[in-house]
Amino acid sequence: MTIRSTDKACAHTPVPALPANGVIGLIAPAGPAALDAEKAVQWMQARGYGLRIFPGVEDKDGYLAGSDEVRLNDLHAAFADSRIDAILCLRGGYGSPRILDRIDFELLRRNAKPFVGYSDITALHLAISRYAGFVTFHGPMLNADLLGDKQQPTESSLLGMLRGELTSGSVLRHPPAYPLTTIVPGVARGRLLGGNLSLIAGTLGTPYGIDAEGVILFIEDINEPLYRIDRLLTHLRLAGVLSKLCGVLVGDVAGVDEQALAGLLKQTFEPLWIPVLAGWRSGHCDPNLTLPMGAMVRLDAGAQELVLEQDVVVRS
């Protein structure tokens, strides 16, 4: 069996595990959302955690959750505060790319801790991967997912990952009720990186675009018809991203016919001879599984299996 890999596929640094009775910081680096603060605090307390809500969560500046300054300050403050054990984003929407060129990545690197979000938060995952070099988590956010009562294993996948229940060698379990599709069989070993396809494409050509060498690319999206998914993948191909990959894991692509999507994926990736597995329940879907961005994984598209090849958190 041939395993696609590369010597440049360097693992990212694990982050400290979320401790029992830890405190989770809630920030809104992108769009605004009405938050029931009492419900949010009670939800965390019921699971043994405290919650600190940063100022921008309750702010609104049009389609942004507060001004760029407020959202940037909250991001920096949440990482710098030693009392905060993990950082959870309120929602996606739009806004994260606006602050990328003002982030103090050295501050983030010195104070690495679990950072969780998806959708527009993809821009932050990519930037932190490139300039701070620690594992982050493409996972559920507070409003739409956790307080929205998305079905299991949304919550258990997140908390199990952050607590350190999954270590090197662990298989990331996928709900059997949602069958996966092998687009191109094969095995690959590399860093898992990516997120929302529109954000991945939108950051290309900037200093914050994906470093695709040796990567197993994860992609998901919503509200994009098939021809736009085609256009986004073509953009990545013409930019030379796809030729650098070791493999591809496709998450939820909401609103697109599964068979039509499978055909497009096969047409796009089969000529590259890299393994591709589709249908992973992560993204704008229910359930929404947590994935470790920047971590070394092993993807077996034929066996439909994803295995951690490093610890993603470190217990104290």
Side-chain angles (χ1 to χ4, degrees):
M1 179 184 295
T2 300
I3 299 179
R4 293 293 300 267
S5 187
T6 175
D7 292 338
K8 295 183 179 180
C10 299
H12 279 23
T13 304
V15 291
L18 176 63
N21 303 313
V23 177
I24 295 175
L26 180 65
I27 65 172
L35 175 69
D36 185 332
E38 183 177 354
K39 181 180 179 181
V41 170
Q42 290 175 351
W43 191 96
M44 288 295 177
Q45 289 178 341
R47 288 147 183 86
Y49 301 110
L51 181 67
R52 180 182 172 189
I53 300 173
F54 282 79
V57 169
E58 298 177 339
D59 207 348
K60 188 177 186 296
D61 184 7
Y63 49 78
L64 301 171
S67 67
D68 291 345
E69 288 73 19
V70 166
R71 291 178 292 109
L72 179 69
N73 289 342
D74 282 359
L75 177 71
H76 285 158
F79 272 101
D81 191 337
S82 61
R83 297 167 296 180
I84 301 296
D85 299 297
I87 301 169
L88 184 64
C89 294
L90 176 69
R91 62 156 294 188
Y94 174 69
S96 298
R98 291 173 57 107
I99 63 173
L100 292 181
D101 58 347
R102 297 169 60 189
I103 294 174
D104 183 346
F105 290 103
E106 179 59 24
L107 181 151
L108 271 57
R109 186 192 64 77
R110 291 195 312 267
N111 299 279
K113 60 190 70 175
F115 174 79
V116 186
Y118 69 101
S119 193
D120 189 72
I121 309 304
T122 294
L124 294 173
H125 288 309
L126 295 176
I128 291 171
S129 171
R130 189 154 197 166
Y131 295 109
F134 58 84
V135 173
T136 59
F137 299 91
H138 184 282
M141 294 184 284
L142 189 64
N143 246 35
D145 299 279
L146 300 177
L147 296 184
D149 295 324
K150 285 197 173 178
Q151 62 183 310
Q152 289 289 16
T154 298
E155 178 188 329
S156 59
S157 172
L158 171 65
L159 295 181
M161 190 80 73
L162 299 190
R163 290 167 177 163
E165 296 169 7
L166 296 171
T167 57
S168 181
S170 296
V171 177
L172 300 188
R173 303 294 180 185
H174 193 267
Y178 300 94
L180 297 166
T181 301
T182 298
I183 304 297
V184 183
V187 181
R189 178 181 181 273
R191 287 186 301 120
L192 183 65
L193 194 60
N196 184 265
L197 181 57
S198 297
L199 269 293
I200 296 169
T203 51
L204 288 183
T206 77
Y208 310 97
I210 189 168
D211 179 3
E213 190 70 44
V215 159
I216 294 175
L217 180 67
F218 169 71
I219 54 174
E220 66 85 35
D221 220 315
I222 185 172
N223 295 332
E224 299 287 358
L226 186 65
Y227 80 91
R228 290 186 183 173
I229 299 297
D230 187 342
R231 183 169 64 195
L232 291 165
L233 290 173
T234 299
H235 185 183
L236 267 60
R237 178 177 64 82
L238 295 176
V241 171
L242 301 188
S243 62
K244 298 177 182 178
L245 302 175
C246 284
V248 180
L249 179 67
V250 183
D252 187 66
V253 183
V256 174
D257 177 78
E258 292 182 8
Q259 286 189 331
L261 177 63
L264 173 61
L265 294 172
K266 192 174 185 69
Q267 182 184 58
T268 301
F269 292 109
E270 196 171 51
L272 301 176
W273 294 94
I274 58 174
V276 181
L277 180 64
W280 198 270
R281 300 293 290 182
S282 187
H284 298 79
C285 53
D286 185 11
N288 180 8
L289 307 180
T290 299
L291 290 169
M293 298 290 99
M296 291 296 296
V297 300
R298 182 176 182 271
L299 172 67
D300 188 333
Q304 300 186 340
E305 189 174 75
L306 186 66
V307 182
L308 285 179
E309 291 215 330
Q310 71 164 95
D311 292 344
V312 295
V313 302
V314 178
R315 294 182 182 181
S316 58

